[in-house]
Amino acid sequence: MNIRRRTALVYGAAACLKAPALAAAEGGWPSRPVRIVAGGAASVTDIRTRWLAERLSAALGQPVVVENNAAAGGNVGAAEVARAAPDGYTLLAWHQGIAAIRRGWRERHEGQPGFDALARQPEQAAQFHRAMNELTRRVAADVLDAVDLSAARGVVDVGGGSGELLAALLVAQPSARGVLFDQQHGVAHGPERMRRGGVEARCEFVAGSFFDAVPAGGDVYLLKSVLHNWDDARCIALLGRCREAMASDARLLVIERVMAAEPSPSPADRDAARSDLNMLANLSGRERTLDEYRALLHATGLRLATVAPTHGPMSVIEARAQVD
């Protein structure tokens, strides 16, 4: 494990323990039941889970319940999360950590890489996209303020889910048209979101895999919170599909956290470390430094042009075609 991962482990663990306490102090953590679902029978992992529960309980000032799911055999699936009490929170304990890191929890547990399993889990897919919409809603205004899109005419949102960011962009830029591109379980909810924003007439919905091809014809391409889901090889593959679709003067906007090359104990770096570990354990993905993003872009015929920080945790990395 390299120094960055070791640092991430320390800061990520600290963030998991401190964040609820800080949120509670600020009135941002509702007083609702919290449970941690632990797969399998009592074990060393279960002991660690209970250790975490004790500290979370002390931080929150309320009970934290640990449940064992022996039938899960050490794996707790998305269906278990969906069955959580609607008025509470469910936290998935990490289990079989080395196996999860090697293959990603989703691929190891569900037998399919990335988000493919959501295609046969409509309820979980809807829940997932609602959560992603909420996360995007919190940062959309900051992202759009950070970059000038006044000249955009055709915007392709690659892996855009049900279109929360694209809808906000189309509202802000009345002259632009959009293409929402994702797997069917994502774009299926796109028309409803565009109708709410009054921009459905200016948006096209295309279902597919960005590992196969990306819609051509856009002058701006968006990739928000996509690359951190994947390892380097798959990032290079999907960036390659984007480059193939892009005209020579098109722009690719990669919207992600940018990790510090040497993380500090700052809240922002702790949050980035926690996210880094979460992506590693769940999807074999990772958060990346600016140099790491530059290397991925270079490998696919793109160059890093500018980086625009936002007021929140995300940065907008603008990439363009390499000049021969």
Side-chain angles (χ1 to χ4, degrees), residues 91-282:
L91 306 178
L92 264 74
W94 285 4
H95 290 278
Q96 299 181 0
I98 296 301
I101 288 170
R102 283 175 177 161
R103 292 179 55 199
W105 179 85
R106 288 180 184 272
E107 185 169 352
R108 177 175 56 83
H109 175 60
E110 297 174 340
Q112 293 180 280
F115 305 98
D116 289 355
L118 293 179
R120 51 184 173 79
Q121 299 171 342
E123 292 183 4
Q124 285 85 343
Q127 183 181 50
F128 171 78
H129 289 294
R130 284 196 300 270
M132 294 304 101
N133 284 346
E134 180 58 32
L135 291 173
T136 299
R137 190 175 298 119
R138 297 177 183 181
V139 302
D142 283 343
V143 167
L144 298 179
D145 285 345
V147 60
D148 182 7
L149 292 171
S150 58
R153 292 296 177 265
V155 181
V156 182
D157 193 353
V158 179
S162 50
E164 188 66 34
L165 179 60
L166 183 59
L169 188 156
L170 293 177
V171 169
Q173 303 297 337
S175 298
R177 300 186 64 83
V179 175
L180 180 63
F181 177 65
D182 206 328
Q183 296 186 59
Q184 180 60 40
H185 59 73
V187 299
H189 303 280
E192 177 187 352
R193 176 62 187 91
M194 298 302 163
R195 278 195 295 271
R196 292 203 309 270
V199 295
E200 184 184 12
R202 290 190 282 124
C203 189
E204 179 184 355
F205 307 94
V206 179
S209 169
F210 46 52
F211 291 117
D212 296 332
V214 168
D219 58 338
V220 175
Y221 285 77
L222 304 178
L223 273 177
K224 182 201 167 286
S225 300
V226 172
L227 295 183
H228 77 160
N229 294 319
W230 306 100
D231 60 22
D232 287 355
R234 284 185 272 196
C235 281
I236 289 172
L238 74 90
L239 284 169
R241 302 293 83 76
C242 290
R243 177 63 189 94
E244 291 169 0
M246 293 167 61
S248 59
D249 58 348
R251 307 155 67 191
L252 172 65
L253 303 182
V254 175
I255 303 157
E256 295 278 4
R257 295 176 186 266
V258 176
M259 288 195 73
E262 297 183 7
S264 73
S266 70
D269 283 356
R270 288 174 184 258
D271 285 347
R274 173 192 51 77
S275 182
D276 188 35
L277 287 174
N278 191 46
M279 303 318 298
L280 174 68
N282 281 281

Side-chain angles (χ1 to χ4, degrees), residues 30-45:
S31 179
R32 295 178 178 178
V34 176
R35 71 172 185 162
I36 301 177
V37 179
S43 62
V44 172
T45 300

Side-chain angles (χ1 to χ4, degrees), residues 40-118:
S43 62
V44 172
T45 300
D46 183 51
I47 293 170
R48 291 172 179 166
T49 302
R50 294 182 185 280
W51 177 88
L52 174 60
E54 290 174 3
R55 280 148 184 80
L56 280 174
S57 178
L60 295 170
Q62 66 184 67
V64 175
V65 177
V66 175
E67 296 183 8
N68 281 98
N69 181 354
N75 300 316
V76 182
E80 181 68 29
V81 179
R83 288 194 293 271
D87 61 344
Y89 295 98
T90 298
L91 306 178
L92 264 74
W94 285 4
H95 290 278
Q96 299 181 0
I98 296 301
I101 288 170
R102 283 175 177 161
R103 292 179 55 199
W105 179 85
R106 288 180 184 272
E107 185 169 352
R108 177 175 56 83
H109 175 60
E110 297 174 340
Q112 293 180 280
F115 305 98
D116 289 355
L118 293 179

